Amino acid sequence: MAMARKSAQESARKVSQLHPCFGAEAHNKFGRLHLPVSPACNIQCRFCNRAFNKEEVRPGVTAGILHPNQAVETVKKALSLCPDITVVGIAGPGDTLATNSAVEAFRAVHKAYPHLIKCLSTNGLLLPDRAEELLEVGVKTITVTVNAVDPYILEKVVSYIVFEGKRITGPEMGGILTARQLEGIRRASDLGATVKVNTVLVPGVNDEHIEDIARAASEAGAHIYNIIPLIPQHELSHIEEPDCDMLQRAREAGARHLEVFQHCKHCRADACGIPGISEFSRELYGGQMETFSHG
Ligand code: CLF
Ligand code: SF4
């Protein structure tokens, strides 16, 4: 296991040179493509209002859903629009492990483009069961969104999970989700993946809890930490967005345990291009998919 951790550290160094979300070096230089193949979610975050439209720029939003068998063709087209793409990511619009679509898409893309980094973002509920399979289909970088590691704080951010066929709420839900996320991080990192933890910073809820999250994530084997300011909506629409001081304090607290990534661009689930520099999602997906609108 120690060997695997060491090789994960070496792989993390390589990834930081090529992946725009895993290192300052690669940021502004390389691009990522998101394949919006994952429609469903197995938890309900209180701030999440998944939507299908072409206007908003935030996680969870996409212009439509792609079928996994369209993945390779989409990567080909994206590379012709933006040859600087080094990463193919799947980040929604639902959870990437709630259905098999992401694994199927990665399997096909890895076969056709083995040199591109495959990147998955998940809420982590099913990561312990699927980490091995992800590594098998070429996934090298995994992001787990951990918004609290205390069940009483977590229930203020997540209203329920659906786990083993049951809908679970309250502190019991918080305990299960945290245990699964940390176990998933441990398993993925032991298998050689580079793991980033994302936290949505919710003022008055988890802003004093960031150091605890970073400590637990680091102990579980995570390599990088990214703090994303809340976009107030859905059940948390009454909470104000965190200000720069709060974000700065949170980043300092996180940095006591993990390297903090500071350049996140709040990407949509169908983003394509160099984050913050170029965006080709309209050219890529615009004419091809239906526009849904919900929420
Ligand atoms: Fe996509 Fe996320 Fe992979 Fe990057 S985004 S799945 S790790 S390839 Fe990057 Fe966008 Fe921030 Fe995410 S800037 S929202 S951190
Ligand atoms: Fe929304 Fe993602 Fe939370 Fe699911 S895990 S409810 S898609 S933010």
Side-chain angles (χ1 to χ4, degrees):
M1 220 48 109
M3 281 290 287
R5 280 262 168 108
K6 201 169 165 222
S7 93
Q9 277 163 3
E10 279 158 20
S11 160
R13 263 195 300 278
K14 275 191 210 149
V15 157
S16 75
Q17 292 163 356
L18 285 173
H19 194 315
C21 316
F22 278 72
E25 257 182 277
H27 197 75
N28 288 347
K29 271 199 230 157
F30 296 113
R32 47 78 189 101
L33 158 69
H34 282 172
L35 299 170
V37 296
S38 304
C41 194
N42 44 17
I43 78 173
Q44 179 59 59
C45 299
R46 294 188 191 273
F47 54 76
C48 177
N49 182 11
R50 275 176 298 134
F52 299 89
N53 69 53
K54 292 185 180 171
E55 312 309 327
E56 290 176 82
V57 179
R58 60 177 170 83
V61 175
T62 170
I65 293 291
L66 197 73
H67 191 276
N69 67 17
Q70 297 170 285
V72 171
E73 197 49 39
T74 306
V75 174
K76 188 175 170 200
K77 195 169 166 195
L79 286 170
S80 70
L81 288 165
C82 181
D84 297 318
I85 286 173
T86 49
V87 180
V88 176
I90 302 184
D95 185 62
T96 50
L97 298 179
T99 58
N100 281 328
S101 303
V103 167
E104 276 174 42
F106 279 134
R107 199 185 301 279
V109 172
H110 192 51
K111 225 170 166 186
Y113 297 98
H115 65 287
L116 295 176
I117 296 171
K118 318 298 168 317
C119 181
L120 175 121
S121 177
T122 174
N123 62 37
L125 181 64
L126 297 179
L127 186 56
D129 310 328
R130 309 207 64 181
E132 207 156 351
E133 197 181 354
L134 289 173
L135 275 279
E136 271 166 28
V137 297
V139 174
K140 260 205 163 57
T141 52
I142 296 179
T143 296
V144 185
T145 300
V146 179
N147 292 325
V149 289
D150 173 315
Y152 294 93
I153 299 177
L154 194 50
E155 70 160 326
K156 293 185 185 152
V157 187
V158 177
S159 53
Y160 65 84
I161 62 173
V162 177
F163 184 57
E164 295 176 340
K166 279 188 293 191
R167 191 179 190 273
I168 305 166
T169 59
E172 185 193 357
M173 173 282 299
I176 293 170
L177 184 54
T178 298
R180 298 283 296 175
Q181 290 175 327
L182 296 177
E183 192 191 338
I185 292 167
R186 202 168 292 118
R187 205 162 282 188
S189 154
D190 282 345
L191 288 166
T194 304
V195 180
K196 171 158 71 60
V197 165
N198 278 359
T199 295
V200 177
L201 181 63
V202 187
V205 175
N206 65 3
D207 57 302
E208 298 292 328
H209 183 52
I210 297 298
E211 187 169 355
D212 297 333
I213 299 172
R215 186 188 302 109
S218 168
E219 283 170 5
H223 305 89
I224 298 173
Y225 195 34
N226 179 24
I227 299 165
I228 302 177
L230 172 77
I231 299 175
Q233 53 186 355
H234 199 48
E235 278 186 63
L236 301 188
S237 55
H238 60 285
I239 294 182
E240 276 193 26
E241 232 175 280
D243 61 21
C244 291
D245 284 351
M246 184 183 281
L247 182 59
Q248 190 48 34
R249 280 198 307 279
R251 284 176 170 162
E252 283 165 13
R256 287 177 206 130
H257 301 278
L258 283 168
E259 181 188 337
V260 173
F261 175 66
Q262 314 242 7
H263 305 280
C264 179
K265 298 293 179 216
H266 264 193
C267 306
R268 291 167 52 111
D270 57 2
C272 171
I274 303 176
I277 305 268
S278 57
E279 186 49 68
F280 298 96
S281 66
R282 269 169 206 263
E283 290 90 327
L284 184 63
Y285 295 117
Q288 182 184 329
M289 290 188 286
E290 276 183 30
T291 302
F292 297 92
S293 173
H294 85 206

PDB file of all heavy atoms in Angstrom, residues 41 43-45 47-48 50 93-95 123, ligand 2:
ATOM      1  N   CYS A  41     -28.964  11.874 -10.018  1.00  0.00           N
ATOM      2  CA  CYS A  41     -28.169  11.997  -8.788  1.00  0.00           C
ATOM      3  C   CYS A  41     -28.779  11.139  -7.692  1.00  0.00           C
ATOM      4  O   CYS A  41     -29.979  10.890  -7.674  1.00  0.00           O
ATOM      5  CB  CYS A  41     -28.081  13.455  -8.338  1.00  0.00           C
ATOM      6  SG  CYS A  41     -26.781  13.635  -7.086  1.00  0.00           S
ATOM      7  N   ILE A  43     -28.115  11.843  -4.360  1.00  0.00           N
ATOM      8  CA  ILE A  43     -28.258  12.633  -3.132  1.00  0.00           C
ATOM      9  C   ILE A  43     -28.939  13.951  -3.506  1.00  0.00           C
ATOM     10  O   ILE A  43     -29.085  14.268  -4.689  1.00  0.00           O
ATOM     11  CB  ILE A  43     -26.892  12.897  -2.426  1.00  0.00           C
ATOM     12  CG1 ILE A  43     -26.075  14.007  -3.098  1.00  0.00           C
ATOM     13  CG2 ILE A  43     -26.043  11.632  -2.348  1.00  0.00           C
ATOM     14  CD1 ILE A  43     -24.808  14.372  -2.287  1.00  0.00           C
ATOM     15  N   GLN A  44     -29.365  14.703  -2.503  1.00  0.00           N
ATOM     16  CA  GLN A  44     -29.908  16.037  -2.799  1.00  0.00           C
ATOM     17  C   GLN A  44     -29.195  17.075  -1.939  1.00  0.00           C
ATOM     18  O   GLN A  44     -29.397  17.139  -0.728  1.00  0.00           O
ATOM     19  CB  GLN A  44     -31.420  16.080  -2.531  1.00  0.00           C
ATOM     20  CG  GLN A  44     -32.046  17.453  -2.789  1.00  0.00           C
ATOM     21  CD  GLN A  44     -31.868  17.954  -4.232  1.00  0.00           C
ATOM     22  OE1 GLN A  44     -32.306  17.301  -5.178  1.00  0.00           O
ATOM     23  NE2 GLN A  44     -31.200  19.092  -4.423  1.00  0.00           N
ATOM     24  N   CYS A  45     -28.332  17.840  -2.590  1.00  0.00           N
ATOM     25  CA  CYS A  45     -27.690  18.951  -1.881  1.00  0.00           C
ATOM     26  C   CYS A  45     -28.697  20.094  -1.798  1.00  0.00           C
ATOM     27  O   CYS A  45     -29.441  20.338  -2.749  1.00  0.00           O
ATOM     28  CB  CYS A  45     -26.448  19.415  -2.633  1.00  0.00           C
ATOM     29  SG  CYS A  45     -25.210  18.122  -2.792  1.00  0.00           S
ATOM     30  N   PHE A  47     -28.302  23.179  -1.988  1.00  0.00           N
ATOM     31  CA  PHE A  47     -28.047  24.325  -2.877  1.00  0.00           C
ATOM     32  C   PHE A  47     -28.184  23.942  -4.340  1.00  0.00           C
ATOM     33  O   PHE A  47     -27.944  24.765  -5.218  1.00  0.00           O
ATOM     34  CB  PHE A  47     -26.634  24.889  -2.645  1.00  0.00           C
ATOM     35  CG  PHE A  47     -25.552  23.857  -2.769  1.00  0.00           C
ATOM     36  CD1 PHE A  47     -25.144  23.385  -4.005  1.00  0.00           C
ATOM     37  CD2 PHE A  47     -24.967  23.321  -1.630  1.00  0.00           C
ATOM     38  CE1 PHE A  47     -24.168  22.401  -4.128  1.00  0.00           C
ATOM     39  CE2 PHE A  47     -23.984  22.336  -1.730  1.00  0.00           C
ATOM     40  CZ  PHE A  47     -23.591  21.875  -2.980  1.00  0.00           C
ATOM     41  N   CYS A  48     -28.520  22.697  -4.635  1.00  0.00           N
ATOM     42  CA  CYS A  48     -28.438  22.236  -6.024  1.00  0.00           C
ATOM     43  C   CYS A  48     -29.776  22.257  -6.733  1.00  0.00           C
ATOM     44  O   CYS A  48     -30.746  21.660  -6.285  1.00  0.00           O
ATOM     45  CB  CYS A  48     -27.882  20.817  -6.084  1.00  0.00           C
ATOM     46  SG  CYS A  48     -27.846  20.183  -7.776  1.00  0.00           S
ATOM     47  N   ARG A  50     -30.391  21.377 -10.398  1.00  0.00           N
ATOM     48  CA  ARG A  50     -29.827  20.999 -11.694  1.00  0.00           C
ATOM     49  C   ARG A  50     -30.700  21.524 -12.810  1.00  0.00           C
ATOM     50  O   ARG A  50     -31.913  21.542 -12.703  1.00  0.00           O
ATOM     51  CB  ARG A  50     -29.656  19.481 -11.783  1.00  0.00           C
ATOM     52  CG  ARG A  50     -28.330  19.068 -11.166  1.00  0.00           C
ATOM     53  CD  ARG A  50     -28.153  17.600 -11.137  1.00  0.00           C
ATOM     54  NE  ARG A  50     -29.171  16.991 -10.315  1.00  0.00           N
ATOM     55  CZ  ARG A  50     -29.854  15.929 -10.666  1.00  0.00           C
ATOM     56  NH1 ARG A  50     -29.655  15.355 -11.820  1.00  0.00           N
ATOM     57  NH2 ARG A  50     -30.737  15.414  -9.843  1.00  0.00           N
ATOM     58  N   PRO A  93     -24.467  16.398 -15.466  1.00  0.00           N
ATOM     59  CA  PRO A  93     -24.990  17.332 -14.459  1.00  0.00           C
ATOM     60  C   PRO A  93     -25.475  16.664 -13.167  1.00  0.00           C
ATOM     61  O   PRO A  93     -25.707  17.361 -12.188  1.00  0.00           O
ATOM     62  CB  PRO A  93     -26.154  18.024 -15.174  1.00  0.00           C
ATOM     63  CG  PRO A  93     -26.585  17.041 -16.213  1.00  0.00           C
ATOM     64  CD  PRO A  93     -25.346  16.306 -16.644  1.00  0.00           C
ATOM     65  N   GLY A  94     -25.627  15.359 -13.124  1.00  0.00           N
ATOM     66  CA  GLY A  94     -25.974  14.673 -11.869  1.00  0.00           C
ATOM     67  C   GLY A  94     -24.721  14.062 -11.263  1.00  0.00           C
ATOM     68  O   GLY A  94     -23.627  14.565 -11.480  1.00  0.00           O
ATOM     69  N   ASP A  95     -24.873  12.965 -10.521  1.00  0.00           N
ATOM     70  CA  ASP A  95     -23.667  12.315 -10.004  1.00  0.00           C
ATOM     71  C   ASP A  95     -23.145  11.302 -11.023  1.00  0.00           C
ATOM     72  O   ASP A  95     -23.907  10.531 -11.603  1.00  0.00           O
ATOM     73  CB  ASP A  95     -23.915  11.614  -8.664  1.00  0.00           C
ATOM     74  CG  ASP A  95     -22.586  11.083  -8.137  1.00  0.00           C
ATOM     75  OD1 ASP A  95     -21.690  11.908  -7.887  1.00  0.00           O
ATOM     76  OD2 ASP A  95     -22.412   9.848  -8.050  1.00  0.00           O
ATOM     77  N   ASN A 123     -19.978  12.954  -5.910  1.00  0.00           N
ATOM     78  CA  ASN A 123     -20.284  13.239  -4.495  1.00  0.00           C
ATOM     79  C   ASN A 123     -19.688  12.171  -3.582  1.00  0.00           C
ATOM     80  O   ASN A 123     -19.737  12.307  -2.362  1.00  0.00           O
ATOM     81  CB  ASN A 123     -21.800  13.375  -4.278  1.00  0.00           C
ATOM     82  CG  ASN A 123     -22.564  12.092  -4.611  1.00  0.00           C
ATOM     83  OD1 ASN A 123     -22.101  10.982  -4.357  1.00  0.00           O
ATOM     84  ND2 ASN A 123     -23.755  12.238  -5.178  1.00  0.00           N
TER      85      ASN A 123
HETATM   86 FE1  SF4 B   2     -26.505  18.390  -7.250  1.00  0.00          FE
HETATM   87 FE2  SF4 B   2     -24.089  17.315  -7.402  1.00  0.00          FE
HETATM   88 FE3  SF4 B   2     -25.323  17.539  -5.024  1.00  0.00          FE
HETATM   89 FE4  SF4 B   2     -26.191  15.784  -6.835  1.00  0.00          FE
HETATM   90  S1  SF4 B   2     -24.207  15.777  -5.778  1.00  0.00           S
HETATM   91  S2  SF4 B   2     -27.476  17.153  -5.611  1.00  0.00           S
HETATM   92  S3  SF4 B   2     -25.844  16.897  -8.756  1.00  0.00           S
HETATM   93  S4  SF4 B   2     -24.589  19.229  -6.336  1.00  0.00           S
END
